[in-house]
Amino acid sequence: SQQGEEDPQALSIQEGENATMNCSYKTSINNLQWYRQNSGRGLVHLILIRSNEREKHSGRLRVTLDTSKKSSSLLITASRAADTASYFCATGNTGNQFYFGTGTSLTVIP
Amino acid sequence: EPEVTQTPSHQVTQMGQEVILRCVPISNHLYFYWYRQILGQKVEFLVSFYNNEISEKSEIFDDQFSVERPDGSNFTLKIRSTKLEDSAMYFCASSQGSTGNSPLHFGNGTRLTVT
């Protein structure tokens, strides 16, 4: 399966701290994407990193990709209570299906 | 900003009944998807649709499921004879390009409860 798997399953931090989530996958990819899901809502795209990129930034988000280890990490800096959500990685290839992992549930305590 | 809309937000049905979940993708998007998420579990791919036909489907998407784009704006998922285990959130998504290149835009889902 090409499915991404996030680690840890749950993470609880204080507001202002950084949060790091990891994703591992099993096969070759064209890109890896991170999504956020607030409880009971749809997924929202955060950032896309292509297989030939190693690092990408968007605001307080920093994503790294290591294709040799088949892993990615999402760093949220200076976390806020509003960052509380589940975060999913997803891998895309030349086909037209997109596999999501099981997600990391992030709780930011004010 | 354009968004994907799904109706209804909550559907309750009895086991064995047919349900149709409706989605209006973003207007200039070409690829359409259905995913489902059983409460607290992972987001599972069901099917992708491009150029008026299914392009990929998962093992979950068996003969009881079908998709249709009946007009230029709607994209529907039909479950012919619902089972208890079909209870889940169903998400529609669309993208401008294929998953190799483009992010997916999701609707807020339809919560299907089968009793």
Side-chain angles (χ1 to χ4, degrees), chain A residues 3 30-31 33 35 37 40-45 48 50 88 92-102, chain B residues 31 33 35 37 42-43 45 48-50 55-57 89 91 98-104 106-108 111:
Chain A
Q3 191 168 295
N30 275 11
N31 68 70
Q33 302 183 24
Y35 287 78
Q37 183 183 34
R41 310 282 284 181
L43 284 79
V44 175
H45 177 258
L48 181 155
R50 302 195 185 281
F88 295 85
N93 63 2
T94 53
N96 202 25
Q97 49 187 325
F98 211 48
Y99 293 98
F100 288 87
T102 52
Chain B
Y31 295 79
Y33 312 83
Y35 285 82
Q37 185 179 34
K42 62 187 177 187
V43 179
F45 170 76
S48 58
F49 192 87
Y50 170 71
S55 54
E56 306 265 2
K57 61 182 181 179
M89 283 289 286
F91 292 103
S98 70
T99 59
N101 298 301
S102 302
L104 272 62
F106 282 82
N108 281 324
R111 180 174 298 282

Side-chain angles (χ1 to χ4, degrees), chain B:
Chain B
E1 185 175 321
E3 57 182 25
V4 176
T5 57
Q6 290 186 244
T7 56
S9 56
H10 192 187
Q11 174 89 48
V12 181
T13 190
Q14 288 191 326
M15 195 168 52
Q17 295 296 305
E18 174 183 288
V19 293
I20 297 177
L21 309 183
R22 301 180 191 280
C23 170
V24 178
I26 294 173
S27 61
N28 64 344
H29 284 186
L30 301 176
Y31 295 79
F32 313 112
Y33 312 83
W34 284 100
Y35 285 82
R36 80 173 185 190
Q37 185 179 34
I38 296 170
L39 186 63
Q41 298 187 26
K42 62 187 177 187
V43 179
E44 299 176 298
F45 170 76
L46 293 179
V47 66
S48 58
F49 192 87
Y50 170 71
N51 201 25
N52 283 320
E53 61 182 23
I54 291 172
S55 54
E56 306 265 2
K57 61 182 181 179
S58 72
E59 293 175 353
I60 303 168
F61 194 87
D62 61 20
D63 291 345
Q64 70 163 334
F65 291 94
S66 62
V67 289
E68 194 177 29
R69 188 156 164 80
D71 52 42
S73 59
N74 290 284
F75 180 50
T76 62
L77 174 69
K78 181 191 290 186
I79 309 175
R80 286 193 187 82
S81 178
T82 51
K83 305 170 189 170
L84 294 176
E85 55 264 37
D86 293 329
S87 294
M89 283 289 286
Y90 287 80
F91 292 103
C92 173
S94 67
S95 64
Q96 206 161 33
S98 70
T99 59
N101 298 301
S102 302
L104 272 62
H105 296 256
F106 282 82
N108 281 324
T110 292
R111 180 174 298 282
L112 177 64
T113 302
V114 182
T115 62

Side-chain angles (χ1 to χ4, degrees), chain A residues 2 6-7 9-10 15 24-25 29 34 45-47 49 51 56 65-66 71 74 81-82 89 91 93-94 96 100 103:
Chain A
Q2 199 164 358
E6 295 86 351
D7 169 62
Q9 286 190 324
E15 199 165 32
S24 60
Y25 57 93
I29 60 171
W34 284 91
H45 177 258
L46 294 176
I47 198 163
I49 185 166
S51 59
K56 203 158 184 181
L65 179 65
D66 186 336
S71 68
L74 170 67
C89 68
T91 53
N93 63 2
T94 53
N96 202 25
F100 288 87

